[in-house]
């Protein structure tokens, strides 16, 4: 008889979405608590598909997550699986390594949380079916600089061995180094399936001695976790071959939409162009809602106006998107430039002012010094959580300063130019 | 921006006036002078341009002629690189319209102005005396940052600082240093609020752990209390059980004794007790019913014997029925109808009809009736006859009419016999065709008119040729003449104009310089006269004489030489003294001489220029006369005249061409007429009509037409005769046909009459007679047929009557009824008999059936009675008794025993259950030992202990439930997660806005710093430009302007040529105005340096300037006009001349001309 399980990781339960789009109350109702809703859908999927088990390869919560409500919610959901006779296998990851809330919870009997020493659970199956052994290891610290692979016991003879491991593999940008190991090491382990976690973007090494799946985060939480997210529905057939299917449980999907507006003739054109791109993007999205960051590039005579009236554009796009029902604008970033021929035509005082800013002001020590003092003043006013947003100190700020100054100058010039044209 | 055309459609004093500035001139300055005396509308024009661009003000003072709602300005303006039509009307909004009256945004016309508003524009670029002065004073009064002021005005960014402040304010909306409000503060407050809310709602792990421990403790306590309470309860229950079993045991013993006392009976089948009752009831009922049935059988048998049986009557019943239903009705009908029918036979009048036919003695009237075929044939022939008669009479009439017509026409010989030959007919037809075919156009008329035009053309041509004087010759020679190409002509023109201009310029220079030389000469002479020979030459001569005298004196050293030396020395001293006395004159003289020499050289140069120009003119003239040797113009030919001559030549040549064309047309017409005449004559000859060859075409036409009329008349007459003859023949044959048909009909008629009795008469009857006979015969046939039918019916009725009577009598005999009474009465008696017999037979049948049924039920009752007897027998045998009562007693005894038995078992079971024993024996044993009183005491002691324990349990349970509830209350709900989400969103928002704040601040700071740099740089450029302009206008009296730092910032000062400096308010009015203008000029150059040009308009701002300064000012305007359009409005004629001198390309517009053309336009419009 086949053995089926659902493999996921990095659920980060109750970790809120990080987007300005949630300021929209309507949207907040639709996609708020997305990590929760997505987890409910994962449990629903287990029940629908009548899987044998749910495997969670670490990072059920964020480390700072200490609300018992979250734990209670988890317990409720796992109880649903328990009632249906579906087992749950959980390891801790770097984020929930120190989590106390799991420890306090009384989990149903069918839930297995692997401890700091490697353990093996032999799945209870009829003698006539192939045996399944699930191995897991939770490292109790948020940092694991070395490979944890050697701590695993040897494969259980004659069984299909499944390993749960939270690992950064060879390392991935944006993710802390954690229990690094190589795909080759995993392939040689003698395990048939490696259920990995930690890296939020999906990757898979199918075939080979061992099928290795990093399922990625099931629900992206900000624009940096954009794109389609999934969990893996794994079937081990009687001939011990493995089929991995991707399933989508995300409530919302973040996407960057970069649009070259060089061809747009007027404002309306831009809106229509963006709108049509949004609609076609929306048709490819697997989640219920598309939350898009629209980035306008290219060269266009409208550049100044777009920079100045980004808010207006955003409102207009939101209005149009609202009619689609599932498209939302996260943010509009307008950074188009004025085409060369227009620039040549644009002589005059402002043009000269612009080149003075560009060539003489932005690099000057006086100017940078003044910027630093503006920032210092603001930093003192920001809430503690944001103190480090604009660099931890003056040195790290300077890198940011040039970008700020360039954008700021463009913004101000755009407004002066439009003021001139009025 | 450039105004190509300004329409003063309805504005101020203007109506439909148009100022056409034309397209921008290429290669020369775009300078326009609008000249108009006072009240001509110069200021109006200036304001109109402002109103066009910026809108007509609310309280415009130009609505005196045209009311506000009709005011209208129009213009063709070059803006943003294209020429566009604009219209401005007076309206609060949407007052700018396009050429097609569509409303436009004001920005469309102001695209090139770079945001300059009306004030700034009128201060800087649209000047009159007032604005020139006021604006200048503003510049001086500001005493602020002069650079900024100039910059603002020139760059059109007067709002720049305001914008920057607005942007900064935008940034400050988020956060401001020491600001009390701001978005950041609000957002932070909301963060704190959310944090508090979360703390209220959330439960952290540590707290949870504490609660869990407490719950566990309470759990243990509760469990212990429960156990203790259960033990006590069990003890009490045990005692209670024993106590409650004791009374039951006593009742059981009593029942057992009762049971043992009862007799033992066999157990009957359980159904017997109920069956017994039923058997006893059923037996009685069966016996009663048997008696009843026996009695009713006897009664029925008696009734059967009493019923009569009449068999004779029954045997006749079929016949009697026949008699009453069929024969009797027929008999009754016959009695009534026979007399009626006999009457109607008598009424039929066959005889009368026969008399009408004249056959009163006819025995068989039926013979006279004709068959349908014969009647049909008669009718057909009768109908046919009338048609034949009509045809015959009409054919005869028409024949007569035709004969009469022929007689009228006259059968005489045709008067037109001569035309009868086919050859002639053909010739006439050809003539007719020719006459039709030839065009009878207005050739003659056209010919006459053309001749007249030709003559007038000749006159015009000779006039045109005369215009070409001094040239003389024919038009042909003129056409052959070679002409210079237009390019060549243009070349001559431009060279000639250039030459002429140069001559004029040189003459003007000479006119200015020569008087000046003369003036100087006079001055020199005067000086000389005043000071004597004090010039350098005479001094040098005297000094030389003295030196020579000294030299000779040194050689000789005698008195003579000494005297000579003394004389020379004295003379020299004299001269030197003279010179010392007249030193000023001397230096002035020297200066004058120098100047005179320089002026003399200028004159020389001017003369040379004049000669060169004149040579150039002569060259052009000689070239022209060389090219046009044939014309022999005078020496003073100028290319404009030549051009005029060439234009006149072209006109003459055109006239000549027209003249030739008309000649050709006349020739064509003549040819056409000749051709027609020839054709017509030929045709006439063929038809034998005489035609004069010399007659004109019209005469020929009328002769031919006359002959053709005659011919046509003859043809018509012969046609008519032929037609009449043919008609007579036709009519005769029609009449003969009709007569033949009449004859055939007569034969048929006779034959038909002979075929029936009608032909029996001697004379064959005519159509009318037969028609009458046929009508009578129709009636006769009906009457005969009716009579035969009636006779037949009377006979049949007689037969019916007799057969009924015979039948009645026979039946009477059979039933032995007396024949007394009518046959119908007898028939009723017979029928009554039969009915009575049938009724009694039916009664007998019914009784027999009834009897059979009763006997059947008697037999069934007997069987039932037997069954009851058998069952009773079974019961008595079972109990060994004799009757039913005994059986009943036995059964009731058995029931009583059984009830007792079951009560005993029930009690035993109850006891076993209460005592929780294994069997009743054990219970009996236990109870036998129990002591009731001791047990009751024990129970009383246990009760309070149990109550205590109960309370403890309840309390613990409550505490535990509370603790559990507290833990359960945590729940898995999402409240906290939602708050966290809101907090996260707030943080993202703060981050986002902080980023934007920083960007804006960075941008504003950069812009402010850049602006400062920009101003510093441009200020110096502006000052240089202003200095240059001021120096030029003041003709060097001032070398420029400078900014000088002062207490309040900077002030503007003028630097004079002598190196002195004056602040602007110390300048004379003229110099101050020059300075103001210089500042505007500098501003204009600064403005147009980097952006599309805009117009510069000035209204007589040079009142305080002398002619030389005015000239310089115009020179500056001309320079400005190289960049953009400059319009100068003035009422000084001489200024227009100065302008023309400085800038030959200047365009003059005379407001008076524009005005005077107005009435014409208005009339045209009306």
């Amino acid at each position: 008889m086949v053995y089926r399980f659902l493999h996921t990781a990095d659920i980060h339960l109750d970790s809120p979405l990080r987007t300005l789009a949630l300021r929209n109350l309507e949207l907040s109702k639709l996609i708020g608590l997305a990590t929760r809703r997505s987890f409910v859908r994962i449990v629903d999927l287990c029940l629908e598909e009548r899987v044998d088990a749910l495997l969670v390869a670490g990072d059920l919560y964020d480390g700072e997550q200490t609300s018992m409500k979250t734990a209670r919610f988890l317990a409720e959901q796992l109880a649903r699986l328990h009632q249906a006779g579906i087992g749950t296998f959980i390891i801790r990851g770097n984020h929930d390594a120190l989590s106390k809330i799991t420890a306090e919870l009384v989990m149903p009997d069918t839930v297995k949380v692997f401890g700091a020493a490697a353990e093996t659970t032999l799945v209870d199956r009829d003698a006539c079916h192939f045996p399944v052994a699930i191995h897991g290891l939770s490292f109790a610290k948020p940092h694991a600089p070395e490979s944890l692979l050697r701590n695993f016991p040897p494969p259980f003879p004659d069984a299909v061995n499944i390993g749960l491991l939270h690992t950064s593999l060879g390392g991935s940008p944006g993710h802390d180094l954690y229990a690094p190991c190589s795909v080759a090491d995993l392939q040689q382990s003698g395990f048939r399936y490696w259920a990995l976690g930690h890296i939020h973007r999906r990757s898979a090494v199918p075939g080979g001695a061992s099928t290795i799946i990093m399922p990625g985060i099931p629900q992206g939480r900000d624009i940096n976790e954009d794109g389609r997210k999934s969990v893996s529905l794994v079937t081990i057939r009687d001939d011990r071959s493995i089929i991995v299917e991707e399933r989508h449980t995300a409530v919302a999907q973040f996407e960057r939409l970069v649009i070259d507006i060089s061809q747009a003739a007027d404002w309306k054109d831009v809106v229509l162009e963006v709108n049509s791109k949004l609609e076609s993007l929306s048709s490819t999205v697997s989640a219920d809602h598309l939350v898009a960051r629209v980035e306008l590039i290219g060269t266009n005579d409208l550049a100044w106006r777009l920079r100045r009236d980004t808010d207006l554009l955003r409102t207009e796009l939101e209005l149009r998107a609202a009619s689609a029902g599932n498209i939302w604008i996260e943010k509009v970033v307008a950074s188009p430039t004025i085409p060369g021929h227009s620039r040549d035509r644009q002589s005059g005082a402002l043009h000269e002012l612009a080149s003075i800013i560009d060539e003489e002001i932005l690099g000057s020590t006086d100017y940078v010094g003044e910027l630093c003092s503006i920032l210092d003043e603001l930093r003192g006013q920001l809430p503690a959580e944001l103190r480090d947003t604009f660099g931890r100190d003056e040195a790290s700020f300077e890198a940011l300063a040039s970008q700020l100054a360039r954008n700021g100058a463009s913004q101000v010039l755009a407004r002066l130019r439009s003021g001139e044209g009025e | 921006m450039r105004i190509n055309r300004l329409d003063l459609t309805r504005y101020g004093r203007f109506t439909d006036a148009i100022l056409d500035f034309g397209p921008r001139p290429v290669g020369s300055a775009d300078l326009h002078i609008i000249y108009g005396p006072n009240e001509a509308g110069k200021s109006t024009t200036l304001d109109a341009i402002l109103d066009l661009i910026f809108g007509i003000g609310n309280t415009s003072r130009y609505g005196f002629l045209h009311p506000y709602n009709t005011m209208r300005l129009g213009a063709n303006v070059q803006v943003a690189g294209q020429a566009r039509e604009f219209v401005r009307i007076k309206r609060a909004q949407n007052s700018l319209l396009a050429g097609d009256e569509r409303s436009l945004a004001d920005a469309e016309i102001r695209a090139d102005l770079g945001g300059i508003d009306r004030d700034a524009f009128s201060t800087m670029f649209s000047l009159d005396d007032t604005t020139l002065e006021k604006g200048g004073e503003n510049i001086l009064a500001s005493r602020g940052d002069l650079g900024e002021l100039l910059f603002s005005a020139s760059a059109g960014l007067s709002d720049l600082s305001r914008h920057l402040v607005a942007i900064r304010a935008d940034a400050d909306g988020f956060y401001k240093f020491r600001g009390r409000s701001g978005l950041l503060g609000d957002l932070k407050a909301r963060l704190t609020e959310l944090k508090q809310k979360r703390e209220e709602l959330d439960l952290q792990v540590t707290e949870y752990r504490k609660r869990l421990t407490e719950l566990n403790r309470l759990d243990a306590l509760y469990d212990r209390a429960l156990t203790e309470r259960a033990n006590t309860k069990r003890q009490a229950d045990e005692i209670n059980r024993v106590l409650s079993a004791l009374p039951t045991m006593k009742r059981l013993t009593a029942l057992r004794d009762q049971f043992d006392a009862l007799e033992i009976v066999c157990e009957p089948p359980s159904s017997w007790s109920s069956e017994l009752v039923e058997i006893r009831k059923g037996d009685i009922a069966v016996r009663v019913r048997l008696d009843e049935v026996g009695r009713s059988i006897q009664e029925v048998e008696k009734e059967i014997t009493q019923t009569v049986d009449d068999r004779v009557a029954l045997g006749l019943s079929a016949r009697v029925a026949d008699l009453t239903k069929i024969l009797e009705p027929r008999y009754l009908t016959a009695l009534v109808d026979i007399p009626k029918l006999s009457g109607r036979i008598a009424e039929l009048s066959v005889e009368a009809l026969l008399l009408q036919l004249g056959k009163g003695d006819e025995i068989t009237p039926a013979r006279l009736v004709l068959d349908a075929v014969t009647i049909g044939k008669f009718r057909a022939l009768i109908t046919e006859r009338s048609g034949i008669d009509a045809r015959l009479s009409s054919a005869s009439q028409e024949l007569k009419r035709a004969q009469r017509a022929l007689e009228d026409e006259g059968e005489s010989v045709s008067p037109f016999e001569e035309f009868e030959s086919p050859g002639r007919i053909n010739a006439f037809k050809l003539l007719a065709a020719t006459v039709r075919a030839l065009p009878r156009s207005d050739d003659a008329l056209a010919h006459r008119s053309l001749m007249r035009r030709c003559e007038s053309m000749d006159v015009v041509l000779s006039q045109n040729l005369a215009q070409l004087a001094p040239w003389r010759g024919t038009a042909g020679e003129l056409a052959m003449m070679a002409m210079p190409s237009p390019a060549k002509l243009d070349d001559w023109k431009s060279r000639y104009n250039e030459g002429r201009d140069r001559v004029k310029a040189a003459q003007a220079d000479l006119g200015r310089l020569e008087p000046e030389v003369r003036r100087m000469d006079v001055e020199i002479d005067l000086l000389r006269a005043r000071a004597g020979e004090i010039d350098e030459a005479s001094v040098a001569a005297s000094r030389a004489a003295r030196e020579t005298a000294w030299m000779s004196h040194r050689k000789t050293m005698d008195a003579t030489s000494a005297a000579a030396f003394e004389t020379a020395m004295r003379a020299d001293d004299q001269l030197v003294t003279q010179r010392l006395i007249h030193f000023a004159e001397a230096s002035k003289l020297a200066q004058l001489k120098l100047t005179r020499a320089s002026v003399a050289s200028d004159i020389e140069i001017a003369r040379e220029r004049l000669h060169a120009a004149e040579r150039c003119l002569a060259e052009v003239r000689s070239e022209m006369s060389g090219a046009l040797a044939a014309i022999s113009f005078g020496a003073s030919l100028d290319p404009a005249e030549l051009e005029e001559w060439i234009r006149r030549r072209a006109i003459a040549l055109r006239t000549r061409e027209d003249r030739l064309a008309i000649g050709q047309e006349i020739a064509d017409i003549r040819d056409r007429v000749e051709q027609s005449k020839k054709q017509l004559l030929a045709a006439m000859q063929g038809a034998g009509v005489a035609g004069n060859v010399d007659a004109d075409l019209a005469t020929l036409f009328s002769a031919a037409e006359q002959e053709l009329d005659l011919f046509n008349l003859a043809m018509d007459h012969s046609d008519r005769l032929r037609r009449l003859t043919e008609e007579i023949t036709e009519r005769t044959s029609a009449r003969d046909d009709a007569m033949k048909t009449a004859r055939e009909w007569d034969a048929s008629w006779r034959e038909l009459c002979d075929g029936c009795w009608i032909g029996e008469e001697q004379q064959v009857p005519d159509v009318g007679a037969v028609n009458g006979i046929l009508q009578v015969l129709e009636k006769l046939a009906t009457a005969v047929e009716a009579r035969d039918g009636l006779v037949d019916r009377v006979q049949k009725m007689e037969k019916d009557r007799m057969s009924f009577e015979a039948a009645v009598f026979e039946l009477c005999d059979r039933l032995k009824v007396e024949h007394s009474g009518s046959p119908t009465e007898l028939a009723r008696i017979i029928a009554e008999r039969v009915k009575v017999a049938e009724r009694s037979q039916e009664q007998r049948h019914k009784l027999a059936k009834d009897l059979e049924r009763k006997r059947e039920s008697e037999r069934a009752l007997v069987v039932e009675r037997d069954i009851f007897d058998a069952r009773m027998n079974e019961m008595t045998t079972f109990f060994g008794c004799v009757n039913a009562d005994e059986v009943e007693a036995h059964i009731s005894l058995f029931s009583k025993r059984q009830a007792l038995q079951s009560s005993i078992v029930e009690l035993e079971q109850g006891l076993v259950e209460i005592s929780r024993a294994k069997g009743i024996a054990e219970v009996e044993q236990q109870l036998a030992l129990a002591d009731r009183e001791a047990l009751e005491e024990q129970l009383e002691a246990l009760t309070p202990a149990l109550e205590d324990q109960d309370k403890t349990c309840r309390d613990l349970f409550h505490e535990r439930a509370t603790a559990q509830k507290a833990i359960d209350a945590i729940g898995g709900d999402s409240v906290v997660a939602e708050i966290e989400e809101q907090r996260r969103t707030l943080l993202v928002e703060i981050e986002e806005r902080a980023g934007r704040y920083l960007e804006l601040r960075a941008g504003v700071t950069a812009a402010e710093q850049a602006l400062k740099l920009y101003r510093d740089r441009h200020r110096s450029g502006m000052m240089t430009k202003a200095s240059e302009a001021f120096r030029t206008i003041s003709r060097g009296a001032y070398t420029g302007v400078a900014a000088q730092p002062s207490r309040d910032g900077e002030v503007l000062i003028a630097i004079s040529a002598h190196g002195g400096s004056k602040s602007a308010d110390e300048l004379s009015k003229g110099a101050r105005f020059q300075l103001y203008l210089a500042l505007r000029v500098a501003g204009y150059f600064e403005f147009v340096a980097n952006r599309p040009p805009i117009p510069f308009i000035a209204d007589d701002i040079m009142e305080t300037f002398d002619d030389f300064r005015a000239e310089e000012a115009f020179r500056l305007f001309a320079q400005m006009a190289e960049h953009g359009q400059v319009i100068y409005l003035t009422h000084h004629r001489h200024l227009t001349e100065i302008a023309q001198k400085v800038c030959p390309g200047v365009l003059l517009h005379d407001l008076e001309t524009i005005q005077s053309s107005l009435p014409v336009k208005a009339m045209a419009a009306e």
Side-chain angles (χ1 to χ4, degrees), chain B residues 808-823 825-827 829-830 833:
Chain B
V808 168
F809 292 140
E810 190 204 338
L811 286 175
C812 285
D813 292 347
R814 296 274 293 273
L815 292 171
K816 299 188 178 84
V817 177
E818 269 184 51
H819 293 208
S820 57
S822 70
E825 280 167 1
L826 287 176
I829 293 167
I830 292 165
R833 269 282 297 274

Side-chain angles (χ1 to χ4, degrees), chain B residues 278-456:
Chain B
E278 197 183 304
I279 290 168
R280 291 176 77 171
K281 243 196 277 179
D283 193 41
I284 292 165
V286 164
R287 282 167 210 280
V288 172
R289 270 157 61 199
L290 258 179
D291 288 352
E292 173 66 30
V293 168
R295 262 195 312 278
S296 64
I297 286 171
Q298 283 168 6
E299 275 169 21
V300 171
E301 280 171 346
K302 193 172 144 202
E303 207 174 329
I304 287 172
T305 48
Q306 283 171 354
T307 316
V308 191
D309 186 8
D310 186 353
R311 283 178 193 278
V312 182
L314 282 174
L316 291 176
S317 80
R319 283 199 57 195
V320 172
D322 204 20
L323 181 76
T324 52
K325 284 189 184 134
I326 299 165
L327 295 179
E328 193 176 11
R330 283 187 190 164
Y331 169 77
L332 291 175
T333 313
L335 282 188
V336 177
D337 285 359
I338 288 171
K340 270 196 226 159
L341 290 175
S342 307
R344 273 164 63 187
I345 290 169
E347 279 167 15
L348 285 168
S349 52
V350 176
E351 280 76 13
L353 291 169
L354 286 176
L355 279 177
Q356 280 180 13
L357 287 173
K359 290 277 183 182
D361 53 350
E362 181 61 53
I363 306 155
T364 52
R367 186 185 74 94
L368 297 182
V369 175
L370 292 178
D371 59 4
V373 175
T374 315
I375 292 172
K377 278 180 181 164
F378 270 120
R379 293 213 195 282
L381 280 176
I382 290 165
T383 317
E384 205 178 310
R385 181 70 213 184
S386 68
I388 290 166
D389 288 348
R391 246 175 83 194
L392 200 53
S393 84
S394 81
S396 310
Q397 274 172 10
E398 277 170 5
L399 179 60
K400 273 182 204 146
R401 209 181 296 135
Q403 281 164 346
R404 234 184 353 260
L406 188 58
E407 279 164 25
D408 290 351
E409 190 62 46
E411 285 159 280
S412 58
V413 183
S414 163
F416 306 109
E417 227 165 26
E418 47 175 321
F419 294 108
E420 291 294 298
S421 85
R424 280 207 77 176
I425 292 174
N426 278 342
F428 267 102
K429 280 183 181 159
L430 180 66
L431 180 61
T434 312
V435 169
R436 262 200 311 280
L438 282 179
R440 225 171 300 181
S441 61
D442 317 325
D443 276 347
L445 204 64
H447 184 248
R448 272 197 302 283
S449 114
L450 279 174
M451 285 306 281
R452 269 199 302 282
R453 264 181 69 198
C454 190
E455 282 157 20
S456 71

Side-chain angles (χ1 to χ4, degrees), chain A residues 66-67 69 104 347 367 381, chain B residues 188 202 204 209 970 1002 1090:
Chain A
T66 51
S67 171
K69 283 190 184 290
E104 296 304 332
S347 41
Y367 179 67
Q381 297 298 324
Chain B
K188 273 158 71 181
D202 196 17
Q204 300 287 305
R209 204 175 287 157
I970 301 166
N1090 290 319

Side-chain angles (χ1 to χ4, degrees), chain A residues 6 14 16 33 40 48 59 88 106 116 121 130 162 173 187 196 198 219 235 240 315 318 327 349 354 358 361 406:
Chain A
L6 196 80
D14 279 351
L33 307 172
V40 172
E48 267 167 41
D59 286 358
T88 307
V106 182
T121 303
F130 61 80
I162 298 169
Q187 293 278 24
L196 306 184
H198 185 59
Q219 168 64 61
T235 307
R240 304 195 176 197
T315 310
E318 272 175 347
I327 304 176
D358 218 29
I361 303 293
R406 214 157 284 281

